[in-house]
Amino acid sequence: METRDRLEREINIMDLFWDLLFGWRQILCFGIIFAILVCGLNYMKQNYWGNQNLTIEERERELNNEQMEPIKKARNLQKMIDEFQDYIDTAAVMQIDPYKKHMIELQYYIETDYIINYSKDNMPDYTGTVMSMYYNYIKSGEVSKEIIETEGLSIGQAEFGDLISVNQSGYAIYINIAYPDSEKLKDISKVLQNLLVQKEAEFQIIGSHRLKFMGESTDIMVDETLIEKRSTYLNRISSLETQIETLKKYMTKEQLDLLEEDKKLRYNDKMETSNFSIKYSILGLFVGVFLAAMWIICKVIFDVTLKKSEEISSLYGIRLLGEIQVQEENNKKKRFLSMVDDKLLAIKNRRKRKLSMEQQLKLSCTNIVISCKKQNIDSIYITGSEFETMDVSIINTLKQQLKKQNIQVKEGGNMFYDESSLKQGIEIGNILFVEQKEKSIYDEIFNEIQLIQEQKGNILGAIVLI
């Protein structure tokens, strides 16, 4: 029997995939740790920029009042630019496409019980008062607050006021509602209709009347007013930026550096409010998951211990006489969320028939006995590269089963290091290896096999404990 001069392991993609799945604990821990770490580093960076205020104050003290005057003007102009830009970026009305503005119009008619009787003292006509009450109520903060809370809108009351308009014509009221999310318009309309129904009962104290709903209509229109409003804000920003550039032309390097520090602080404040908790957390999570996956892959590639029982045949060219499952029986300590591992293992082995340890032992012994009878062998020597650390109960059970089949069994440690084991094993001449998955070392197995072959020993095969 010949052994390969050089071990060449083949990495199976499916085995690598399952190793990654079973390494979910490491991947999860790395992801969480790096998410926290990256967020922490970003926070420290932000604090560093925040501490530059001291540097700015020191630089300001180096400038006189005359030199500070254009800087103050530039700061005020920049503040106005930021306010205008913030309104354009965040205001709900500015998020509406002015060329495709979705709107709903609600039409109501107010019918009162007021009657003019010239034969009696006339009471004042309260119709106008009722109309004004409805108009003021619709435009009030009470309505906007109720709608925002009911629909969970992410805007303020002032912003909602820009999205609703009310017009009167005779005894009719027309309510126009717009919103950036056109799908929300129907829901907002229903909430407003319910509020008006409730107010109708309250406003009866002014005078008997009925608020009749005449219907609603939806429309998509071009809003010239909104187009002009957006253009006005953009022109203001452009004008202010031109004024700042004009001021910069006459500034010294020290003044320009001071304005640049202001720019860095504004950028840092924006990053802190919008991206700190989400962007950097996700980035750190992905970095952690990637590094954990690379670590697991490297461990598989550069691992020096036996990964699969089939490698006994593929790497060393000796027969695999049996596998004995000992990990589940002997590993009493339960790991965190071990049921996840159990489920993954069940999926991985779903196509394999599960045998008990007793059945596996009997099957392994049968293979050994058959091999011995074919070669007229009545005594064998059991050894292994890590034999001294093997489960004694498994070895004893194996010996008892073989003795029942009239096969004499002796055992010993690693023959490559133990002189007495080598001498006894070569005297018997028939060697059975017992190795253990993820414990036996490739090179140790190779050294022992090579030594036995040099001494003309007969290797029956190997049993692998998994």
Side-chain angles (χ1 to χ4, degrees), residues 78-110:
Q78 185 61 54
K79 183 179 179 182
M80 295 172 65
I81 290 174
D82 293 341
E83 289 174 353
F84 288 147
Q85 190 63 54
D86 182 65
Y87 181 77
I88 292 173
D89 293 339
T90 62
V93 68
M94 301 301 281
Q95 308 313 307
I96 296 174
D97 184 353
Y99 299 97
K100 292 181 180 179
K101 183 178 179 181
H102 293 262
M103 292 192 64
I104 286 183
E105 183 181 73
L106 304 178
Q107 300 101 27
Y108 284 92
Y109 178 79
I110 296 178

Side-chain angles (χ1 to χ4, degrees), residues 49-256:
W49 284 116
N51 291 333
Q52 298 306 302
N53 283 319
L54 298 176
T55 305
I56 292 175
E57 291 176 0
E58 291 173 359
R59 291 184 181 184
E60 288 179 349
R61 284 196 291 268
E62 294 175 358
L63 303 177
N64 56 40
N65 292 336
E66 185 178 352
Q67 292 172 317
M68 282 299 300
E69 190 63 30
I71 293 176
K72 291 179 179 178
K73 288 182 179 179
R75 285 175 173 172
N76 289 333
L77 292 172
Q78 185 61 54
K79 183 179 179 182
M80 295 172 65
I81 290 174
D82 293 341
E83 289 174 353
F84 288 147
Q85 190 63 54
D86 182 65
Y87 181 77
I88 292 173
D89 293 339
T90 62
V93 68
M94 301 301 281
Q95 308 313 307
I96 296 174
D97 184 353
Y99 299 97
K100 292 181 180 179
K101 183 178 179 181
H102 293 262
M103 292 192 64
I104 286 183
E105 183 181 73
L106 304 178
Q107 300 101 27
Y108 284 92
Y109 178 79
I110 296 178
E111 181 183 64
T112 66
D113 293 331
Y114 175 75
I115 299 174
I116 299 176
N117 189 341
Y118 293 101
S119 62
K120 298 182 179 180
D121 295 335
N122 292 330
M123 294 184 64
D125 187 356
Y126 55 81
T127 304
T129 304
V130 172
M131 296 281 293
S132 297
M133 290 295 292
Y134 279 110
Y135 178 90
N136 293 332
Y137 172 69
I138 295 167
K139 295 293 289 183
S140 70
E142 182 182 351
V143 167
S144 59
K145 182 181 178 182
E146 286 287 342
I147 293 175
I148 290 170
E149 291 179 355
T150 303
E151 291 300 317
L153 305 181
S154 57
I155 59 174
Q157 291 180 231
E159 289 183 86
F160 188 81
D162 293 334
L163 302 173
I164 187 169
S165 62
V166 187
N167 297 306
Q168 294 179 228
S169 179
Y171 295 146
I173 297 178
Y174 302 94
I175 307 168
N176 293 306
I177 309 168
Y179 195 72
D181 184 357
S182 57
E183 295 181 0
K184 273 283 186 182
L185 273 174
K186 284 283 185 181
D187 297 330
I188 294 172
S189 172
K190 288 178 182 178
V191 174
L192 180 56
Q193 291 177 45
N194 292 333
L195 291 174
L196 289 174
V197 169
Q198 296 172 18
K199 277 296 172 183
E200 181 184 3
E202 295 180 21
F203 287 166
Q204 294 299 323
I205 193 172
I206 301 170
S208 177
H209 69 279
R210 286 159 298 284
L211 181 65
K212 293 186 175 182
F213 178 60
M214 306 303 294
E216 69 175 15
S217 61
T218 59
D219 193 14
I220 300 176
M221 58 174 290
V222 177
D223 192 334
E224 297 289 348
T225 303
L226 184 55
I227 294 173
E228 184 178 352
K229 185 176 184 179
R230 182 186 292 273
S231 177
T232 299
Y233 274 97
L234 292 174
N235 289 336
R236 287 178 182 176
I237 291 174
S238 178
S239 175
L240 293 170
E241 287 176 341
T242 302
Q243 294 180 51
I244 292 176
E245 291 301 319
T246 302
L247 289 172
K248 284 183 177 180
K249 289 181 181 179
Y250 303 98
M251 288 185 182
T252 63
K253 183 179 183 302
E254 290 76 11
Q255 291 172 314
L256 292 173

Side-chain angles (χ1 to χ4, degrees), residues 16 20 26-27 30 287-298:
L16 190 60
L20 287 171
Q26 297 94 311
I27 292 174
F30 268 68
V287 170
V289 169
F290 175 78
L291 291 177
M294 288 298 100
W295 171 253
I296 292 172
I297 292 172
C298 288

Side-chain angles (χ1 to χ4, degrees), residues 131 140 179 186 353 358 363 367 397:
M131 296 281 293
S140 70
Y179 195 72
K186 284 283 185 181
R353 183 176 178 181
E358 183 180 354
L363 184 61
N367 286 332
T397 304

